[in-house]
Amino acid sequence: MHPIPSALPDTPCYLNGNYGPLGEAKISVLDRGFIFGDGVYEVVPVYGGVPFCFEEHMARLDRSLAELKIANPLSHEDWLAIAARLIEASPPAERAAMQGVYIQVTRGVAPRDHAMPPGLVPTVFLMVNPIKPVSAEARARGVYCVSAPDFRWQKAHIKATSLLGAVLARQISVEAGAFETIMFRDDWLSEASSCNVWIVKNGRVFGPPRDTLVLAGIRFNIIERLCDAAGIPFDLRRIGRDEVFGADEVFLSSASKELVPVTKLDEETIGEGMPGPVCQALFAGYQEAKASQAAQAGSPSTPAEARAVTR
């Protein structure tokens, strides 16, 4: 037997109205999420038991579901109540560290046919996983990334469960011993396999526009707010490949990685070859935002308390 299935954590999860051990959760083999990848997902970071930017993640879940013409099966309050119960049921050591609430909604179960059958009951699944933070060493020296063509589909703005393109892109960096794969579509920056990508030039932060070719990560809004608070100019526009390699700084952002400086891309050194001041300032601001939310909400030791943590 392969060692991974036997090593799955025996933590609680939620599936279609029921709570139970993750290893015992089962769906139909005709679930359209299993057959077609016909579903969407979200990952909400949790710090010390407090979900971070929960409402922004819910808003993106709403947008992704609308793109797939799936009605949201739960209210935002219900999603938060389920997440809070799972967080509370997780081991205390994990609650004290960084976690991620994984939320998935598929169209439901039906005979295999590409057309979207109406009237299905969506399959709803949630679990809470520990997240291993990026090491202090990697943040101090920056990370090495590789570039690749963006060979994914034209609707990257949907946070869909059909992630084969991202899986293949991530494997490129795995096999190269790199941290991430930064992708370009016709020599224009799109994103990395599981991160958004930002550049800094002359003290100004640039990111790709919010369109159908990139997933507008929750960090888009956070970074814009942090830049505004720090007086750092912020702009979203198309970014050429040469601009990325010629940037003063490049950094990645995601729910699990927060902000990570890139100091080498392919065989080219980025900027001075060390994390730059803009990324460092924004990372510090990000930590302050996390601390501020935790201070406002308190540590949610019960689902009822956690339910109030929506900002």
Short mmCIF file of all heavy atoms in Angstrom, two decimals, residues 168-236:
data_model
loop_
_atom_site.label_atom_id
_atom_site.label_comp_id
_atom_site.label_asym_id
_atom_site.label_seq_id
_atom_site.Cartn_x
_atom_site.Cartn_y
_atom_site.Cartn_z
N LEU A 168 0.70 20.87 -13.19
CA LEU A 168 1.80 20.69 -14.14
C LEU A 168 2.80 21.84 -14.03
O LEU A 168 4.02 21.64 -14.11
CB LEU A 168 1.25 20.59 -15.56
CG LEU A 168 0.44 19.33 -15.87
CD1 LEU A 168 -0.21 19.45 -17.25
CD2 LEU A 168 1.30 18.08 -15.80
N ALA A 169 2.29 23.05 -13.84
CA ALA A 169 3.18 24.20 -13.70
C ALA A 169 4.00 24.09 -12.42
O ALA A 169 5.21 24.37 -12.42
CB ALA A 169 2.36 25.50 -13.69
N ARG A 170 3.38 23.68 -11.35
CA ARG A 170 4.11 23.55 -10.08
C ARG A 170 5.18 22.46 -10.20
O ARG A 170 6.28 22.60 -9.63
CB ARG A 170 3.15 23.20 -8.95
CG ARG A 170 3.83 23.01 -7.59
CD ARG A 170 4.42 24.31 -7.07
NE ARG A 170 5.12 24.12 -5.79
CZ ARG A 170 6.43 23.97 -5.66
NH1 ARG A 170 7.22 24.01 -6.72
NH2 ARG A 170 6.97 23.79 -4.47
N GLN A 171 4.90 21.40 -10.93
CA GLN A 171 5.87 20.32 -11.05
C GLN A 171 7.14 20.77 -11.78
O GLN A 171 8.23 20.25 -11.52
CB GLN A 171 5.25 19.12 -11.78
CG GLN A 171 6.09 17.85 -11.74
CD GLN A 171 6.33 17.34 -10.32
OE1 GLN A 171 5.55 17.61 -9.41
NE2 GLN A 171 7.40 16.59 -10.14
N ILE A 172 7.00 21.77 -12.65
CA ILE A 172 8.18 22.31 -13.33
C ILE A 172 9.16 22.84 -12.30
O ILE A 172 10.37 22.58 -12.37
CB ILE A 172 7.77 23.42 -14.32
CG1 ILE A 172 6.97 22.83 -15.49
CG2 ILE A 172 9.00 24.16 -14.85
CD1 ILE A 172 6.34 23.88 -16.39
N SER A 173 8.67 23.61 -11.32
CA SER A 173 9.56 24.16 -10.30
C SER A 173 10.05 23.08 -9.34
O SER A 173 11.19 23.14 -8.88
CB SER A 173 8.88 25.30 -9.54
OG SER A 173 7.62 24.92 -9.05
N VAL A 174 9.21 22.10 -9.04
CA VAL A 174 9.65 21.00 -8.18
C VAL A 174 10.86 20.30 -8.79
O VAL A 174 11.87 20.06 -8.12
CB VAL A 174 8.50 19.99 -7.95
CG1 VAL A 174 9.03 18.71 -7.30
CG2 VAL A 174 7.42 20.60 -7.08
N GLU A 175 10.76 19.98 -10.07
CA GLU A 175 11.84 19.25 -10.73
C GLU A 175 13.08 20.12 -10.92
O GLU A 175 14.19 19.60 -11.08
CB GLU A 175 11.34 18.70 -12.06
CG GLU A 175 10.27 17.62 -11.88
CD GLU A 175 9.69 17.12 -13.19
OE1 GLU A 175 10.14 17.59 -14.26
OE2 GLU A 175 8.78 16.27 -13.14
N ALA A 176 12.91 21.45 -10.90
CA ALA A 176 14.05 22.36 -11.02
C ALA A 176 14.64 22.73 -9.66
O ALA A 176 15.62 23.48 -9.59
CB ALA A 176 13.63 23.62 -11.77
N GLY A 177 14.02 22.24 -8.59
CA GLY A 177 14.48 22.60 -7.25
C GLY A 177 14.18 24.04 -6.91
O GLY A 177 14.88 24.67 -6.11
N ALA A 178 13.10 24.58 -7.49
CA ALA A 178 12.73 25.99 -7.30
C ALA A 178 11.51 26.11 -6.39
O ALA A 178 10.77 25.15 -6.18
CB ALA A 178 12.46 26.65 -8.65
N PHE A 179 11.29 27.31 -5.91
CA PHE A 179 10.19 27.58 -4.99
C PHE A 179 8.86 27.65 -5.71
O PHE A 179 7.84 27.19 -5.21
CB PHE A 179 10.46 28.90 -4.26
CG PHE A 179 9.49 29.23 -3.16
CD1 PHE A 179 9.65 28.71 -1.89
CD2 PHE A 179 8.41 30.08 -3.41
CE1 PHE A 179 8.76 29.03 -0.88
CE2 PHE A 179 7.51 30.40 -2.40
CZ PHE A 179 7.69 29.87 -1.13
N GLU A 180 8.83 28.25 -6.90
CA GLU A 180 7.59 28.44 -7.65
C GLU A 180 7.88 28.56 -9.13
O GLU A 180 9.03 28.75 -9.55
CB GLU A 180 6.85 29.70 -7.18
CG GLU A 180 5.55 29.44 -6.40
CD GLU A 180 4.41 28.94 -7.29
OE1 GLU A 180 4.66 28.49 -8.42
OE2 GLU A 180 3.26 29.01 -6.83
N THR A 181 6.82 28.44 -9.93
CA THR A 181 6.89 28.63 -11.38
C THR A 181 6.13 29.89 -11.73
O THR A 181 4.92 29.98 -11.53
CB THR A 181 6.27 27.43 -12.12
OG1 THR A 181 6.88 26.22 -11.68
CG2 THR A 181 6.44 27.59 -13.62
N ILE A 182 6.84 30.89 -12.24
CA ILE A 182 6.22 32.15 -12.65
C ILE A 182 5.90 32.06 -14.14
O ILE A 182 6.78 31.78 -14.96
CB ILE A 182 7.15 33.34 -12.35
CG1 ILE A 182 7.32 33.49 -10.83
CG2 ILE A 182 6.63 34.63 -12.98
CD1 ILE A 182 8.27 34.59 -10.41
N MET A 183 4.64 32.33 -14.48
CA MET A 183 4.17 32.06 -15.84
C MET A 183 3.91 33.34 -16.64
O MET A 183 3.53 34.37 -16.08
CB MET A 183 2.89 31.22 -15.78
CG MET A 183 3.13 29.82 -15.22
SD MET A 183 1.63 28.82 -15.18
CE MET A 183 0.78 29.56 -13.78
N PHE A 184 4.16 33.19 -17.94
CA PHE A 184 3.96 34.30 -18.88
C PHE A 184 3.08 33.81 -20.02
O PHE A 184 3.27 32.71 -20.54
CB PHE A 184 5.29 34.77 -19.45
CG PHE A 184 6.21 35.39 -18.42
CD1 PHE A 184 7.07 34.60 -17.67
CD2 PHE A 184 6.20 36.76 -18.20
CE1 PHE A 184 7.90 35.15 -16.72
CE2 PHE A 184 7.04 37.33 -17.26
CZ PHE A 184 7.89 36.52 -16.51
N ARG A 185 2.12 34.64 -20.40
CA ARG A 185 1.24 34.33 -21.53
C ARG A 185 1.57 35.31 -22.64
O ARG A 185 1.33 36.52 -22.51
CB ARG A 185 -0.22 34.46 -21.11
CG ARG A 185 -1.22 33.79 -22.04
CD ARG A 185 -2.65 34.04 -21.56
NE ARG A 185 -2.93 33.46 -20.27
CZ ARG A 185 -3.60 32.31 -20.08
NH1 ARG A 185 -4.04 31.64 -21.12
NH2 ARG A 185 -3.83 31.87 -18.86
N ASP A 186 2.18 34.79 -23.71
CA ASP A 186 2.64 35.65 -24.82
C ASP A 186 3.55 36.76 -24.30
O ASP A 186 3.44 37.93 -24.70
CB ASP A 186 1.44 36.25 -25.56
CG ASP A 186 0.57 35.19 -26.20
OD1 ASP A 186 1.11 34.16 -26.64
OD2 ASP A 186 -0.67 35.38 -26.24
N ASP A 187 4.47 36.38 -23.41
CA ASP A 187 5.47 37.29 -22.84
C ASP A 187 4.88 38.35 -21.92
O ASP A 187 5.57 39.33 -21.57
CB ASP A 187 6.31 37.95 -23.94
CG ASP A 187 7.38 37.00 -24.48
OD1 ASP A 187 7.74 36.06 -23.76
OD2 ASP A 187 7.82 37.20 -25.63
N TRP A 188 3.63 38.19 -21.49
CA TRP A 188 3.04 39.05 -20.48
C TRP A 188 2.89 38.26 -19.19
O TRP A 188 2.45 37.10 -19.19
CB TRP A 188 1.67 39.59 -20.91
CG TRP A 188 1.72 40.46 -22.12
CD1 TRP A 188 1.37 40.13 -23.39
CD2 TRP A 188 2.16 41.83 -22.18
NE1 TRP A 188 1.56 41.18 -24.24
CE2 TRP A 188 2.03 42.25 -23.53
CE3 TRP A 188 2.63 42.74 -21.23
CZ2 TRP A 188 2.38 43.54 -23.94
CZ3 TRP A 188 2.96 44.02 -21.64
CH2 TRP A 188 2.83 44.41 -22.99
N LEU A 189 3.26 38.88 -18.06
CA LEU A 189 3.16 38.21 -16.77
C LEU A 189 1.71 37.85 -16.45
O LEU A 189 0.82 38.69 -16.59
CB LEU A 189 3.72 39.14 -15.67
CG LEU A 189 3.59 38.63 -14.23
CD1 LEU A 189 4.45 37.39 -14.00
CD2 LEU A 189 3.98 39.75 -13.25
N SER A 190 1.49 36.60 -16.04
CA SER A 190 0.17 36.24 -15.53
C SER A 190 0.27 36.01 -14.03
O SER A 190 0.04 36.90 -13.23
CB SER A 190 -0.42 35.05 -16.28
OG SER A 190 0.46 33.93 -16.29
N GLU A 191 0.69 34.82 -13.62
CA GLU A 191 0.82 34.51 -12.19
C GLU A 191 1.71 33.29 -12.03
O GLU A 191 2.21 32.74 -13.01
CB GLU A 191 -0.55 34.29 -11.56
CG GLU A 191 -1.39 33.22 -12.24
CD GLU A 191 -2.85 33.24 -11.83
OE1 GLU A 191 -3.20 33.96 -10.88
OE2 GLU A 191 -3.65 32.53 -12.46
N ALA A 192 1.90 32.85 -10.80
CA ALA A 192 2.63 31.61 -10.54
C ALA A 192 1.63 30.47 -10.40
O ALA A 192 0.42 30.67 -10.47
CB ALA A 192 3.49 31.76 -9.29
N SER A 193 2.13 29.26 -10.20
CA SER A 193 1.23 28.10 -10.18
C SER A 193 0.21 28.18 -9.06
O SER A 193 -0.92 27.73 -9.20
CB SER A 193 2.03 26.81 -10.08
OG SER A 193 2.66 26.69 -8.82
N SER A 194 0.59 28.79 -7.91
CA SER A 194 -0.36 28.92 -6.80
C SER A 194 -0.18 30.24 -6.07
O SER A 194 -0.57 30.36 -4.90
CB SER A 194 -0.20 27.76 -5.82
OG SER A 194 1.10 27.74 -5.24
N CYS A 195 0.39 31.23 -6.74
CA CYS A 195 0.62 32.54 -6.13
C CYS A 195 0.36 33.64 -7.15
O CYS A 195 0.50 33.42 -8.36
CB CYS A 195 2.07 32.69 -5.65
SG CYS A 195 2.60 31.58 -4.34
N ASN A 196 0.04 34.82 -6.66
CA ASN A 196 0.11 36.01 -7.51
C ASN A 196 1.54 36.53 -7.51
O ASN A 196 2.32 36.23 -6.60
CB ASN A 196 -0.84 37.09 -7.01
CG ASN A 196 -2.31 36.71 -7.21
OD1 ASN A 196 -3.06 36.60 -6.25
ND2 ASN A 196 -2.71 36.50 -8.46
N VAL A 197 1.90 37.29 -8.54
CA VAL A 197 3.28 37.79 -8.72
C VAL A 197 3.24 39.31 -8.84
O VAL A 197 2.41 39.87 -9.57
CB VAL A 197 3.94 37.18 -9.97
CG1 VAL A 197 5.39 37.64 -10.07
CG2 VAL A 197 3.86 35.66 -9.94
N TRP A 198 4.16 39.96 -8.14
CA TRP A 198 4.25 41.42 -8.12
C TRP A 198 5.67 41.85 -8.43
O TRP A 198 6.62 41.13 -8.13
CB TRP A 198 3.87 41.94 -6.74
CG TRP A 198 2.55 41.44 -6.26
CD1 TRP A 198 2.31 40.25 -5.62
CD2 TRP A 198 1.28 42.06 -6.42
NE1 TRP A 198 0.97 40.11 -5.36
CE2 TRP A 198 0.31 41.21 -5.85
CE3 TRP A 198 0.88 43.28 -6.98
CZ2 TRP A 198 -1.04 41.53 -5.82
CZ3 TRP A 198 -0.47 43.60 -6.95
CH2 TRP A 198 -1.41 42.74 -6.38
N ILE A 199 5.81 43.03 -9.03
CA ILE A 199 7.14 43.58 -9.23
C ILE A 199 7.20 44.98 -8.60
O ILE A 199 6.16 45.63 -8.38
CB ILE A 199 7.55 43.65 -10.71
CG1 ILE A 199 6.77 44.75 -11.45
CG2 ILE A 199 7.38 42.30 -11.39
CD1 ILE A 199 7.34 45.08 -12.83
N VAL A 200 8.40 45.41 -8.31
CA VAL A 200 8.63 46.76 -7.79
C VAL A 200 9.67 47.43 -8.69
O VAL A 200 10.71 46.84 -8.99
CB VAL A 200 9.16 46.72 -6.33
CG1 VAL A 200 9.42 48.14 -5.83
CG2 VAL A 200 8.19 45.99 -5.41
N LYS A 201 9.35 48.63 -9.13
CA LYS A 201 10.30 49.41 -9.93
C LYS A 201 10.24 50.86 -9.46
O LYS A 201 9.16 51.46 -9.41
CB LYS A 201 9.96 49.32 -11.42
CG LYS A 201 11.04 49.91 -12.32
CD LYS A 201 12.33 49.07 -12.29
CE LYS A 201 13.37 49.60 -13.25
NZ LYS A 201 14.63 48.80 -13.19
N ASN A 202 11.41 51.38 -9.09
CA ASN A 202 11.51 52.77 -8.63
C ASN A 202 10.52 53.06 -7.50
O ASN A 202 9.87 54.12 -7.47
CB ASN A 202 11.29 53.73 -9.80
CG ASN A 202 12.35 53.58 -10.87
OD1 ASN A 202 13.51 53.27 -10.60
ND2 ASN A 202 11.95 53.75 -12.13
N GLY A 203 10.38 52.11 -6.60
CA GLY A 203 9.54 52.31 -5.43
C GLY A 203 8.06 52.13 -5.65
O GLY A 203 7.25 52.32 -4.74
N ARG A 204 7.66 51.73 -6.86
CA ARG A 204 6.24 51.57 -7.20
C ARG A 204 5.92 50.08 -7.36
O ARG A 204 6.70 49.34 -7.99
CB ARG A 204 5.92 52.32 -8.49
CG ARG A 204 4.46 52.25 -8.92
CD ARG A 204 4.26 52.97 -10.25
NE ARG A 204 4.47 54.40 -10.12
CZ ARG A 204 3.51 55.28 -9.87
NH1 ARG A 204 2.26 54.88 -9.73
NH2 ARG A 204 3.80 56.57 -9.77
N VAL A 205 4.79 49.64 -6.82
CA VAL A 205 4.36 48.24 -6.92
C VAL A 205 3.44 48.07 -8.12
O VAL A 205 2.48 48.83 -8.30
CB VAL A 205 3.64 47.79 -5.64
CG1 VAL A 205 3.04 46.39 -5.82
CG2 VAL A 205 4.60 47.80 -4.45
N PHE A 206 3.74 47.06 -8.95
CA PHE A 206 2.93 46.74 -10.12
C PHE A 206 2.45 45.30 -10.05
O PHE A 206 3.20 44.40 -9.65
CB PHE A 206 3.73 46.92 -11.42
CG PHE A 206 4.19 48.32 -11.68
CD1 PHE A 206 5.45 48.74 -11.28
CD2 PHE A 206 3.36 49.23 -12.32
CE1 PHE A 206 5.89 50.03 -11.53
CE2 PHE A 206 3.78 50.53 -12.57
CZ PHE A 206 5.05 50.93 -12.17
N GLY A 207 1.21 45.08 -10.46
CA GLY A 207 0.67 43.74 -10.58
C GLY A 207 -0.16 43.63 -11.85
O GLY A 207 -0.59 44.65 -12.41
N PRO A 208 -0.39 42.40 -12.33
CA PRO A 208 -1.23 42.23 -13.52
C PRO A 208 -2.65 42.70 -13.26
O PRO A 208 -3.10 42.72 -12.12
CB PRO A 208 -1.19 40.71 -13.76
CG PRO A 208 0.01 40.23 -13.01
CD PRO A 208 0.14 41.13 -11.83
N PRO A 209 -3.37 43.08 -14.30
CA PRO A 209 -4.74 43.56 -14.11
C PRO A 209 -5.68 42.44 -13.67
O PRO A 209 -5.41 41.26 -13.90
CB PRO A 209 -5.13 44.08 -15.50
CG PRO A 209 -4.24 43.33 -16.45
CD PRO A 209 -2.96 43.11 -15.71
N ARG A 210 -6.75 42.82 -13.01
CA ARG A 210 -7.79 41.86 -12.64
C ARG A 210 -8.61 41.53 -13.88
O ARG A 210 -9.52 42.27 -14.25
CB ARG A 210 -8.70 42.44 -11.56
CG ARG A 210 -8.02 42.68 -10.21
CD ARG A 210 -9.06 43.19 -9.21
NE ARG A 210 -8.52 43.38 -7.88
CZ ARG A 210 -8.08 44.54 -7.40
NH1 ARG A 210 -8.09 45.61 -8.18
NH2 ARG A 210 -7.64 44.65 -6.17
N ASP A 211 -8.27 40.44 -14.54
CA ASP A 211 -9.02 40.03 -15.72
C ASP A 211 -9.21 38.52 -15.65
O ASP A 211 -8.98 37.90 -14.61
CB ASP A 211 -8.33 40.49 -17.01
CG ASP A 211 -6.90 39.97 -17.15
OD1 ASP A 211 -6.56 38.95 -16.49
OD2 ASP A 211 -6.11 40.55 -17.92
N THR A 212 -9.62 37.92 -16.77
CA THR A 212 -9.91 36.49 -16.76
C THR A 212 -8.66 35.62 -16.84
O THR A 212 -8.75 34.39 -16.76
CB THR A 212 -10.83 36.12 -17.93
OG1 THR A 212 -10.17 36.43 -19.17
CG2 THR A 212 -12.15 36.88 -17.85
N LEU A 213 -7.47 36.24 -16.98
CA LEU A 213 -6.24 35.46 -17.15
C LEU A 213 -5.49 35.24 -15.84
O LEU A 213 -4.49 34.53 -15.83
CB LEU A 213 -5.34 36.15 -18.17
CG LEU A 213 -5.95 36.34 -19.56
CD1 LEU A 213 -4.95 37.02 -20.49
CD2 LEU A 213 -6.40 35.00 -20.15
N VAL A 214 -5.94 35.86 -14.75
CA VAL A 214 -5.32 35.63 -13.45
C VAL A 214 -6.42 35.51 -12.40
O VAL A 214 -7.52 36.04 -12.56
CB VAL A 214 -4.36 36.77 -13.03
CG1 VAL A 214 -3.24 36.94 -14.04
CG2 VAL A 214 -5.11 38.07 -12.81
N LEU A 215 -6.09 34.80 -11.33
CA LEU A 215 -6.98 34.75 -10.19
C LEU A 215 -6.67 35.97 -9.32
O LEU A 215 -5.54 36.13 -8.85
CB LEU A 215 -6.76 33.47 -9.38
CG LEU A 215 -7.63 33.34 -8.13
CD1 LEU A 215 -9.09 33.12 -8.51
CD2 LEU A 215 -7.13 32.21 -7.24
N ALA A 216 -7.67 36.81 -9.13
CA ALA A 216 -7.46 37.99 -8.29
C ALA A 216 -7.43 37.54 -6.83
O ALA A 216 -8.45 37.41 -6.17
CB ALA A 216 -8.58 39.01 -8.52
N GLY A 217 -6.22 37.26 -6.35
CA GLY A 217 -6.06 36.77 -5.00
C GLY A 217 -6.56 37.78 -3.99
O GLY A 217 -6.60 38.99 -4.24
N ILE A 218 -6.94 37.29 -2.80
CA ILE A 218 -7.39 38.18 -1.73
C ILE A 218 -6.29 39.16 -1.38
O ILE A 218 -6.53 40.30 -0.98
CB ILE A 218 -7.78 37.35 -0.50
CG1 ILE A 218 -8.85 36.31 -0.87
CG2 ILE A 218 -8.27 38.25 0.63
CD1 ILE A 218 -10.09 36.88 -1.51
N ARG A 219 -5.04 38.74 -1.57
CA ARG A 219 -3.92 39.63 -1.29
C ARG A 219 -3.88 40.83 -2.23
O ARG A 219 -3.23 41.83 -1.94
CB ARG A 219 -2.60 38.85 -1.39
CG ARG A 219 -2.05 38.41 -0.08
CD ARG A 219 -2.53 37.19 0.61
NE ARG A 219 -3.69 36.49 0.27
CZ ARG A 219 -4.59 36.07 1.16
NH1 ARG A 219 -4.46 36.38 2.42
NH2 ARG A 219 -5.63 35.36 0.81
N PHE A 220 -4.58 40.79 -3.38
CA PHE A 220 -4.66 41.97 -4.24
C PHE A 220 -5.14 43.17 -3.44
O PHE A 220 -4.52 44.23 -3.43
CB PHE A 220 -5.62 41.72 -5.41
CG PHE A 220 -4.97 41.30 -6.70
CD1 PHE A 220 -4.32 40.09 -6.79
CD2 PHE A 220 -5.01 42.11 -7.81
CE1 PHE A 220 -3.72 39.68 -7.97
CE2 PHE A 220 -4.43 41.72 -9.01
CZ PHE A 220 -3.77 40.50 -9.08
N ASN A 221 -6.28 43.00 -2.77
CA ASN A 221 -6.85 44.10 -2.00
C ASN A 221 -6.00 44.44 -0.79
O ASN A 221 -5.84 45.62 -0.44
CB ASN A 221 -8.27 43.75 -1.55
CG ASN A 221 -9.25 43.68 -2.70
OD1 ASN A 221 -9.04 44.31 -3.75
ND2 ASN A 221 -10.31 42.92 -2.54
N ILE A 222 -5.46 43.41 -0.14
CA ILE A 222 -4.63 43.66 1.04
C ILE A 222 -3.39 44.46 0.67
O ILE A 222 -3.04 45.44 1.33
CB ILE A 222 -4.24 42.33 1.72
CG1 ILE A 222 -5.49 41.61 2.22
CG2 ILE A 222 -3.26 42.59 2.87
CD1 ILE A 222 -5.20 40.22 2.76
N ILE A 223 -2.71 44.05 -0.41
CA ILE A 223 -1.48 44.74 -0.82
C ILE A 223 -1.80 46.18 -1.23
O ILE A 223 -1.05 47.11 -0.91
CB ILE A 223 -0.78 43.96 -1.94
CG1 ILE A 223 -0.18 42.66 -1.36
CG2 ILE A 223 0.31 44.79 -2.60
CD1 ILE A 223 0.35 41.71 -2.39
N GLU A 224 -2.92 46.38 -1.91
CA GLU A 224 -3.30 47.75 -2.28
C GLU A 224 -3.51 48.60 -1.03
O GLU A 224 -3.05 49.75 -0.96
CB GLU A 224 -4.56 47.73 -3.13
CG GLU A 224 -4.96 49.11 -3.63
CD GLU A 224 -6.10 49.07 -4.63
OE1 GLU A 224 -6.75 48.01 -4.78
OE2 GLU A 224 -6.34 50.13 -5.26
N ARG A 225 -4.18 48.05 -0.02
CA ARG A 225 -4.40 48.80 1.22
C ARG A 225 -3.09 49.07 1.95
O ARG A 225 -2.87 50.17 2.48
CB ARG A 225 -5.36 48.03 2.14
CG ARG A 225 -6.78 47.93 1.62
CD ARG A 225 -7.75 47.55 2.71
NE ARG A 225 -7.50 46.23 3.26
CZ ARG A 225 -8.08 45.10 2.85
NH1 ARG A 225 -8.94 45.13 1.83
NH2 ARG A 225 -7.82 43.95 3.43
N LEU A 226 -2.20 48.07 1.97
CA LEU A 226 -0.91 48.26 2.63
C LEU A 226 -0.07 49.32 1.92
O LEU A 226 0.60 50.13 2.56
CB LEU A 226 -0.15 46.93 2.69
CG LEU A 226 -0.75 45.83 3.58
CD1 LEU A 226 0.06 44.55 3.44
CD2 LEU A 226 -0.81 46.27 5.04
N CYS A 227 -0.11 49.30 0.59
CA CYS A 227 0.62 50.31 -0.17
C CYS A 227 0.07 51.70 0.13
O CYS A 227 0.83 52.66 0.32
CB CYS A 227 0.53 50.02 -1.67
SG CYS A 227 1.60 48.67 -2.24
N ASP A 228 -1.25 51.80 0.17
CA ASP A 228 -1.87 53.09 0.44
C ASP A 228 -1.46 53.61 1.82
O ASP A 228 -1.13 54.79 1.99
CB ASP A 228 -3.39 52.96 0.35
CG ASP A 228 -4.09 54.30 0.55
OD1 ASP A 228 -3.89 55.20 -0.27
OD2 ASP A 228 -4.84 54.42 1.54
N ALA A 229 -1.46 52.71 2.82
CA ALA A 229 -1.10 53.11 4.18
C ALA A 229 0.36 53.53 4.27
O ALA A 229 0.71 54.40 5.07
CB ALA A 229 -1.39 51.96 5.15
N ALA A 230 1.22 52.90 3.45
CA ALA A 230 2.66 53.19 3.51
C ALA A 230 3.09 54.27 2.53
O ALA A 230 4.27 54.62 2.46
CB ALA A 230 3.45 51.91 3.25
N GLY A 231 2.14 54.79 1.75
CA GLY A 231 2.48 55.81 0.76
C GLY A 231 3.26 55.27 -0.42
O GLY A 231 4.03 55.99 -1.05
N ILE A 232 3.06 53.98 -0.75
CA ILE A 232 3.76 53.34 -1.86
C ILE A 232 2.83 53.33 -3.07
O ILE A 232 1.72 52.81 -3.00
CB ILE A 232 4.17 51.90 -1.51
CG1 ILE A 232 5.13 51.90 -0.31
CG2 ILE A 232 4.79 51.20 -2.71
CD1 ILE A 232 5.39 50.51 0.25
N PRO A 233 3.23 53.91 -4.20
CA PRO A 233 2.37 53.88 -5.39
C PRO A 233 2.05 52.45 -5.82
O PRO A 233 2.91 51.56 -5.75
CB PRO A 233 3.21 54.60 -6.45
CG PRO A 233 4.17 55.44 -5.67
CD PRO A 233 4.48 54.66 -4.43
N PHE A 234 0.81 52.24 -6.26
CA PHE A 234 0.32 50.90 -6.60
C PHE A 234 -0.42 50.99 -7.93
O PHE A 234 -1.24 51.88 -8.13
CB PHE A 234 -0.62 50.42 -5.49
CG PHE A 234 -1.30 49.10 -5.76
CD1 PHE A 234 -0.72 47.91 -5.35
CD2 PHE A 234 -2.53 49.05 -6.39
CE1 PHE A 234 -1.35 46.70 -5.58
CE2 PHE A 234 -3.17 47.84 -6.64
CZ PHE A 234 -2.57 46.66 -6.21
N ASP A 235 -0.12 50.04 -8.83
CA ASP A 235 -0.73 50.10 -10.16
C ASP A 235 -0.92 48.69 -10.69
O ASP A 235 -0.04 47.83 -10.54
CB ASP A 235 0.16 50.91 -11.11
CG ASP A 235 -0.52 51.22 -12.43
OD1 ASP A 235 -1.76 51.15 -12.49
OD2 ASP A 235 0.18 51.53 -13.40
N LEU A 236 -2.08 48.44 -11.31
CA LEU A 236 -2.35 47.17 -11.98
C LEU A 236 -2.40 47.42 -13.48
O LEU A 236 -3.18 48.24 -13.96
CB LEU A 236 -3.69 46.58 -11.50
CG LEU A 236 -3.82 46.26 -10.01
CD1 LEU A 236 -5.20 45.67 -9.71
CD2 LEU A 236 -2.72 45.29 -9.56
#
